[in-house]
Amino acid sequence: MDKILLIIKREYLSRVRKKSFLLLTIVGPILFALLMLAPSLMMLLPQSEKAIVVLDQPNLMDRHKGSDELQFQYANPSTYTVEDLKQMLRDNEDLYAALYIPSGESWDPDYISSNVVFFARGDISMQVESYVRDYLQKQITDEKLKVLGVDPLVIAGAKTSVKLRTIDISKTVETETHAGPKMIVGMVSGFILYFFIFIYGSMVMRSVIEEKTNRIVEVIISSVRPFQLLLGKILGVAMVGLTQFGIWVVLTMLLVFGVSFLLLPSLMDPEVIASSGGMVEDNGMAEALLSGLDFAAMINIPLVVGCFVYYFLFGYILYGALLAAVGSAVDSETDAQQFVLPVSIPLILSIIVLMRVINDPDSSLVVIMSYIPFTSPVLMMARLPFGVAPWELLLSMFFLLLTTVFFVWISGRIYRTGILMYGKKPTFKELYKWLFYQE
Amino acid sequence: MLAIHCDKVTKSYGEKVILDGVSLEVPEGKIFGLLGPNGAGKTTLIRIINQITGPDSGSVSFFGEKLSRHHISRVGYLPEERGLYRKMKVGEQALYLAQLKGLSAADARKKLRYWFEKMDIIDWWDKEVQALSKGMAQKVQFIVTVLHEPDLLIFDEPFSGFDPVNANLIKDEILEINQKGTTIMFSTHRMESVEALCENIALVNQSQVILQSPLRALKESYRSNAWVVEWFGESLPSQWPQDVELVDYEFLGGRYTIQFRIHSQSAVSNLVSVLMAQGTLFGLQEKLPSLQDIFIERVTNKTNG
């Protein structure tokens, strides 16, 4: 037991002391924080206004000034022609585009709507295009209704906005559900888990190959059992992963909240938030922040973190042990590729199915795969925020535990033979035979 | 007492038989040579003694006890395939390996200091292994092998890869350790490299021990009455004493090197008087067969018979 601790200690310290570990561990949360704050930070950036010159013959735009990003300037239809409009755009670098709305001969709304032209240098941004289209559609619709004798006031009064709330009745206390944030938490934790399993699993494999190629392995297994070395290595690397995850969680939280509080102290002022009341869109940062806080309240963070640790640990041990067996069987990392692919197919499959969770977290494919040990870590994490019955979770965890123990045992048997075999490229058939060699 | 006693040890991997009923006796406190060509099964036998792998059948005892896990700390093993972690510091690595052998950190540190100073590599303590020359790394490996003062030291192909200076240095250290009572076991296919060191040898070929004996007795039994004489005179004597048979001679470097076959002890002294009367005798020596010769004879006899 003492020897396993020695091995764990060496495996752990030799990695944690590396500069690359330090770098990734510190840069990681900064990237995360940036990612989470990006939408809010974007709003702080000054928007560049795009100037568009409009030749509006039917006066359909009603001299509309534009939005934050768009500024419409109007050319007098009685003095300017389409050609003048194009010339204006050519001459004036400050103009982003030119919009031509012809009246036709009869001022027929249908004629107008199908003959509006944008002139531009190159392409027009999607945003601008859809803004103009939407605005014109609304104007023309109003125009048509007016022609039909409908009072615009009646139309305004008839407009209804539906606020859709979803109530989850599966809980004893009915709660409002919010699919969006849940989906984000599920996807993000599924993805992070996938990367963690992959990164740390292949770290174990590389380490096994390294020990084999620099020939230290036989020196070590003359002191400890191969299985002790394997286990010590897997657990040591697991602790590296948990350390990194722990630091990330703490740093990300500090960063997200720290940045929010430092950058926008005024927005956190309740009075400001209250007074901004109706004009939430002008106060995007505050809303993003509030929704972030909401978010935290909505999702059972201790459960998510706890499950993440469990599924990372056992998912990683499962794949790490298999990859260690692969590493022991080959002489170099290039030789390992042919075995790595079959081993990691279930993991890749689970990331593909992860996309389906967005559409339907309760689809039977997702549910079944969240029980199957090779795919359960990623998919159960993805399902978790949507609510998973305790028995489902425990069953999935139990399957994973059993499978992991079994495959660690299998891998140990391949490993102890593999590490002493040099100079031949093994086949699956050979690996299978190694299972039954006597120790 | 026997340091190691293997009794009918058999080991196979799948269909392939590596060891076929191997029995071996390694006397305590002696230097033992396990000799044989590559692929004969030496390394597997050594791995069994080191408990890296176990026999399919047969038994191994270690200083009279059935070999078991706690004996591991009493064996020092320098494998043929040896190396170190390249990116780890020398001292740290030596400490790690010593602790794996069961030494306490403090004890290991003390002993390492002694050995590093003795081998003149103390300055390398904080260097990474990849900065070391091959010879330096081998010194570190040697130190780590002997550090925990085991009762049995096993060296697999000990001198391969060492430059002559280091090989001699290591050889002297091994002899010194043996003087203190440690049993030494060499395993090699280069028989000439350990011939001068071993008191007992075993020859292994094709999964079996084909010969096991004290080296001197073995050579005695393989004597072929061949003698070599270095002599100078005007010309070779025309008459030889009875029981002396001239096999071959050559004149090189100002003296004759003459090969005889001498069939009786009295004939040797007769030959000496003849040679001394007719010239200057520089040397006379019985030519004992080398291990390599004995091995080849045994192997060919076996296949022929």
Side-chain angles (χ1 to χ4, degrees), chain B residues 24-231:
Chain B
L24 197 72
E25 295 181 354
V26 180
E28 185 181 353
K30 301 278 170 59
I31 300 184
F32 185 91
L34 184 66
L35 312 174
N38 283 327
K42 299 186 303 291
T43 298
T44 302
L45 186 58
I46 282 175
R47 282 178 181 165
I48 288 173
I49 295 170
N50 271 300
Q51 300 176 65
I52 288 173
T53 182
D56 295 344
S57 66
S59 67
V60 181
S61 56
F62 182 84
F63 289 93
E65 298 167 31
K66 188 178 181 326
L67 188 67
S68 63
R69 211 59 206 165
H70 68 270
H71 291 132
I72 280 235
S73 58
R74 292 172 62 190
V75 185
Y77 173 43
L78 186 65
E80 179 181 6
E81 302 287 2
R82 50 195 175 235
L84 297 165
Y85 290 111
R86 290 171 50 74
K87 294 216 168 132
M88 211 172 164
K89 285 180 181 159
V90 175
E92 210 176 304
Q93 176 149 207
L95 262 177
Y96 171 63
L97 293 172
Q99 282 176 276
L100 282 186
K101 271 290 180 193
L103 289 181
S104 72
D107 201 15
R109 200 178 290 274
K110 206 175 76 196
K111 286 184 168 133
L112 280 171
R113 177 158 284 278
Y114 164 80
W115 274 102
F116 270 54
E117 272 165 5
K118 188 173 187 190
M119 301 289 250
D120 205 22
I121 54 171
I122 193 78
D123 295 342
W124 292 82
W125 186 274
D126 274 326
K127 291 248 160 67
E128 276 189 4
V129 168
Q130 56 187 349
L132 260 60
S133 74
K134 209 176 170 199
M136 293 279 188
Q138 282 167 334
K139 281 184 183 174
V140 176
Q141 281 156 357
F142 176 78
I143 291 172
V144 169
T145 310
V146 303
L147 192 76
H148 59 293
E149 292 163 7
D151 298 317
L152 173 67
L153 269 172
I154 303 176
F155 298 96
D156 198 355
E157 302 293 351
F159 304 117
S160 72
F162 275 98
D163 62 75
V165 179
N166 271 326
N168 264 329
L169 190 94
I170 298 293
K171 201 181 282 183
D172 290 344
E173 292 296 342
I174 293 175
L175 290 177
E176 200 183 311
I177 292 168
N178 175 243
Q179 287 297 309
K180 291 178 188 159
T182 307
T183 310
I184 312 282
M185 195 168 167
F186 287 122
S187 161
T188 180
H189 67 278
R190 291 170 56 229
M191 301 182 191
E192 72 288 351
S193 67
V194 296
E195 200 172 336
L197 301 173
C198 296
E199 283 174 80
N200 293 275
I201 58 115
L203 292 182
V204 192
N205 191 46
Q206 290 175 354
S207 316
Q208 288 177 324
V209 171
I210 54 171
L211 187 76
Q212 185 166 200
S213 156
L215 189 61
R216 183 161 297 280
L218 181 70
K219 291 213 166 186
E220 287 289 321
S221 69
Y222 273 80
R223 60 195 301 179
S224 54
N225 300 328
W227 291 74
V228 184
V229 166
E230 296 217 2
W231 178 82

Side-chain angles (χ1 to χ4, degrees), chain A residues 17 19 24 31 39 79-80 120 149 158 205 219 224 248 313 327 388 407 420 423 434 436:
Chain A
R17 281 197 208 138
K19 286 192 192 80
L24 194 66
L31 285 178
T79 45
Y80 292 97
M205 185 183 79
V219 176
V224 301
W248 279 5
L313 216 54
V388 175
F407 278 97
L420 295 173
W434 291 359
F436 303 101

Side-chain angles (χ1 to χ4, degrees), chain A residues 47-90:
Chain A
Q47 301 284 349
S48 63
E49 277 192 2
K50 293 189 173 96
I52 293 175
V53 63
V54 185
L55 183 61
D56 184 7
Q57 287 172 343
N59 195 19
L60 197 62
M61 300 276 286
D62 209 14
R63 302 263 154 179
H64 179 64
K65 288 217 179 66
S67 68
D68 290 347
E69 291 153 58
L70 283 180
Q71 192 208 344
F72 295 113
Q73 298 165 2
Y74 293 89
N76 189 342
S78 51
T79 45
Y80 292 97
T81 64
V82 187
E83 288 313 311
D84 298 331
L85 191 70
K86 286 195 247 179
Q87 196 54 47
M88 254 195 266
L89 182 63
R90 283 194 203 98

